[in-house]
Each structure stands twice: as structure tokens, then as C-alpha cells.
Amino acid sequence: MTVEIACDESGSEGEKLVGGVTAVFAHASVRLDPADAAACLAELRDRIRSPALEYKANHLLRPKHRPTLLWLLGPAGPVLGHAYVQLVDKRAFLLHHLGHTPPGPLEPYNDALRARGPHGSLDPLFPAIVRAVRHWGDDVTVRHDFHPTLTASRIARLHDAAPGLRELTLVDSRADHRVQVADFVAGVARRIAEEESRGHPDPEVARLLRPYVIGVR
């Protein structure tokens, strides 16, 4: 039986793993019926009541919308058991590729690996998609938000790396409610992980996120 999932990421800066804007990369995959995803988005709009055309994680992370965030992730919400997120500490990901912890700033080592490695080999997006496919089964179709690094040749490489990947289609998140739900999960998880790494943990939300998180590095 073919499983269809919708995916989005948060914190992607390609192969720039250190010295960028974000310290954590998050990739979420969602398996929801389109009607259920649409109902989820409608409920969020009713609760948040923002004039924005597309809601993002930062809407949910505002203090005044905390009850809505807790509802979305909690047992009464629509996504528990239907969504998973991978969190990657970019610095640790780079050190894994280096095989050791070098002295001094890591940016030159990041640049050196990018220069001598196959293009895209340091991008955490690709292994994240492979792990998502493996997590959901042996016959998986993916609807993924548009991303500039997901070129035709790289999608072909994904098929080689994940034999269970039947098809990967790039979509506009505004046209697929399931991708928007994935965007919420990825964005919230990344922000909570980054704030915790800075010494500002949110135990309540972290506890709710725990069943969603796989492949933590």
C-alpha cells in the first residue's frame, strides 16, 4: 500500500552548517488526509485570527496563542501520531563529517568540505528526506514544499538512496494544507530546540514534541 506524506523544513541554509542564521535544521513529515489537514488549518485560522495569507510557526509561538500551540501538538489535536520531525544540530552534523573537533572557528572547515565534496553532500535536507521515507514505509510518495536544492538530478539521487521512494513532487505550500501542517511542526520544533540550546528551555512544549521527534543528532 502506497503511503503519501507531505514534508517541509525549517532552518535550511544548504551546506552552510555554521556561521549562518540558524543552528538547528528541522524536517517534518505529515501523513494526513487532505480534508483533515484543511480542517486543521481552518481551526488554526479561527483560533489565531491573523490577516496573514499564510500562517507560519511564529504565529503559534506568540505568547497569546500558546493555548492554540498546546492544542495543535497535544492529544486533543489533529496531528499526534500523524506527524514526525527530525532535528539536526548543524554544528554536530559538521563535526560528524569532519570526524574530529578541530581547533579554532569551524567556518573554514565547513568551506573546505564544501569545496572538495560532491555538491550537496553536506546539506542535511537530503538525508532527512531519506530517513522520512524509511520511517513511513517501503512504498512512499512525497509532496514536498519547493526548495531550490531539490533539482531533478538531486531528486534522482534521492531515489537511489531511498528505494522506497516512489515519487517526489514539489508543491507550493499555500496549495497543500498538509505541507502547511508540516511547516508548523518543523518551525515550532526548530525554535524550541534552538531556544533550549541557548539556555531558554520550554519544558511544556518540549514534552509535547517528544513523541514527534525522530532522528535527533
Side-chain angles (χ1 to χ4, degrees):
M1 177 181 176
T2 302
V3 173
E4 184 173 69
I5 61 173
C7 300
D8 205 350
E9 53 73 26
S10 180
S12 176
E13 297 178 79
E15 295 183 287
K16 187 177 181 63
L17 299 175
V18 291
V21 177
T22 59
V24 175
F25 167 82
H27 186 268
S29 54
V30 169
R31 184 186 182 188
L32 275 177
D33 182 272
D36 291 336
C40 174
L41 267 293
E43 179 69 21
L44 289 174
R45 285 196 170 275
D46 185 61
R47 288 170 178 252
I48 294 174
R49 297 187 178 276
S50 166
L53 294 178
E54 184 179 12
Y55 285 10
K56 307 294 282 186
N58 64 334
H59 288 94
L60 280 173
L61 290 164
R62 293 168 185 167
K64 65 180 179 179
H65 297 315
R66 189 172 182 86
T68 301
L69 172 61
L70 299 181
W71 165 79
L72 178 68
L73 297 176
V79 292
L80 185 62
H82 302 282
Y84 291 93
V85 62
Q86 301 172 56
L87 294 171
V88 177
D89 181 308
K90 293 183 185 180
R91 183 179 185 276
F93 191 70
L94 174 60
L95 293 176
H96 174 76
H97 279 273
L98 288 172
H100 67 289
T101 303
L106 291 176
E107 285 89 341
Y109 297 92
N110 192 169
D111 294 340
L113 281 180
R114 293 170 66 180
R116 69 170 185 255
H119 191 53
S121 61
L122 289 182
D123 190 342
L125 176 61
F126 300 104
I129 294 174
V130 171
R131 286 194 295 267
V133 170
R134 291 173 178 168
H135 175 80
W136 287 104
D138 299 322
D139 190 3
V140 180
T141 64
V142 176
R143 294 177 64 81
H144 203 291
D145 189 28
F146 279 109
H147 196 282
T149 64
L150 290 175
T151 61
S153 62
R154 292 182 183 178
I155 291 174
R157 284 168 48 197
L158 284 171
H159 280 279
D160 293 335
L165 176 60
R166 175 181 288 247
E167 182 181 5
L168 189 150
T169 304
L170 298 178
V171 300
D172 186 334
S173 64
R174 293 169 294 183
D176 194 311
H177 294 122
R178 295 168 296 177
V179 175
Q180 291 183 48
V181 173
D183 179 63
F184 277 123
V185 175
V188 168
R190 181 188 64 79
R191 279 280 299 278
I192 295 300
E194 288 201 338
E195 287 300 309
E196 183 170 348
S197 71
R198 297 185 182 112
H200 305 289
D202 188 331
E204 184 178 31
V205 177
R207 177 180 58 81
L208 290 178
L209 280 169
R210 198 166 295 126
Y212 295 85
V213 178
I214 59 171
V216 179
R217 182 180 293 280

